[in-house]
Amino acid sequence: MKKLMMILILWNVWTIKTAQAASVVDLSTVENEATFKAVLAAFAALETVESQVTIENATQESLVTMVYDQAVAGMKHTTQIPEAELTSGMTLVVYLYDNGVEVSDMVKLLESTVAWTSKYDPNYEARVQEIAAAVDGRLVKAEADNEAFTGFHLQGYQFFLNPDWQFSDFTVEGDLVKATVDLSDYLTANEERLVTYYPQGTHYSLVLEVNQAAQTLTSKMTLDIDEDLQREVYGNQVYASLQSAMTDTLISATHQATSERVPALEDLETISFEDYEEITAVLQQ
């Protein structure tokens, strides 16, 4: 599944947005740090929260919808993946549960490679169809270390809207209230995890915004890549590693309550990742 996540990152850059406000949380009273944190605490108490997500970097932009459901401790992550050189456009759904289990439609991802790969392998499409028939509509379940860091694009709203964040800057400009999060303690505590995913020397910043006129709460995470250090550490081999391929990224998310629910893990029809690998061995023939 790490390969799947790498593909998603290379296709996507990072901006997170919702179309409507979080109507059940009153944002009109935000005027200082205390009332701002009260709003974050109110979001933490919601059963389900939705974030409409646009992920963009220097080359591409994709739409993502995240729905987190506290009742099942899981998130539905839906990505609109645009057509690219090697793949067809598609909608990819991944379920991520707090216990470290990830469930995804690997067959759909595989099918997106048919158009390009068939140009060079006339038997490829038939083998993919054989795999699809064997999987029979089931999703692929993989169990991972629930402490593993999978990138900010897969972090639920709880990370961005943490009521325990400390602010390094706080401003009120008319209806727009901005709080800059002090990430220093987080970055120090997670330094080893971050460098396994992001290039060395990356600068991170997180700003939370309440627009009282629009009644929206937005988080904006900026990843500023040190390109000179990136070339020095990872070389000029583009896409040779995840870190070498990354460019400056913005993750901007407007969050709202939703009535949509995420299915419990046991309600999904799944096949283990190990069994899926056995089935896909046909591609090596």
Side-chain angles (χ1 to χ4, degrees), residues 178-200:
K178 293 184 180 181
T180 301
V181 174
D182 182 354
L183 290 173
S184 54
D185 288 345
Y186 173 84
L187 297 177
T188 299
N190 293 275
E191 182 177 3
E192 291 185 5
R193 298 169 70 196
L194 289 168
V195 296
T196 64
Y197 204 89
Y198 296 106
Q200 293 182 31

Side-chain angles (χ1 to χ4, degrees), residues 100-116:
V101 174
E102 177 183 307
V103 180
S104 59
D105 192 343
M106 294 291 287
V107 170
K108 179 173 286 189
L109 184 62
L110 189 61
E111 289 174 339
S112 74
T113 66
V114 167
W116 185 86

Side-chain angles (χ1 to χ4, degrees), residues 10 87 94 215 242 259 285:
L10 294 180
T87 60
V94 177
Q215 282 288 288
L242 188 62
S259 58
Q285 297 176 2

Side-chain angles (χ1 to χ4, degrees), residues 150-168:
T150 52
F152 290 112
H153 72 303
L154 293 180
Q155 298 293 329
Y157 76 97
Q158 307 101 315
F159 171 82
F160 299 103
L161 306 185
N162 185 349
D164 294 327
W165 283 133
Q166 299 301 310
F167 301 145
S168 60

Side-chain angles (χ1 to χ4, degrees), residues 43-85:
F43 269 88
L46 292 174
E47 277 199 347
T48 53
V49 175
E50 175 187 275
S51 301
Q52 294 291 337
V53 184
T54 303
I55 296 180
E56 61 181 351
N57 60 18
T59 59
Q60 286 200 346
E61 175 176 314
S62 299
L63 177 65
V64 177
T65 301
M66 294 182 182
V67 175
Y68 185 84
D69 188 337
Q70 295 207 51
V72 298
M75 178 169 66
K76 179 182 179 182
H77 185 279
T78 306
T79 304
Q80 305 295 333
I81 299 177
E83 182 175 351
E85 182 181 357

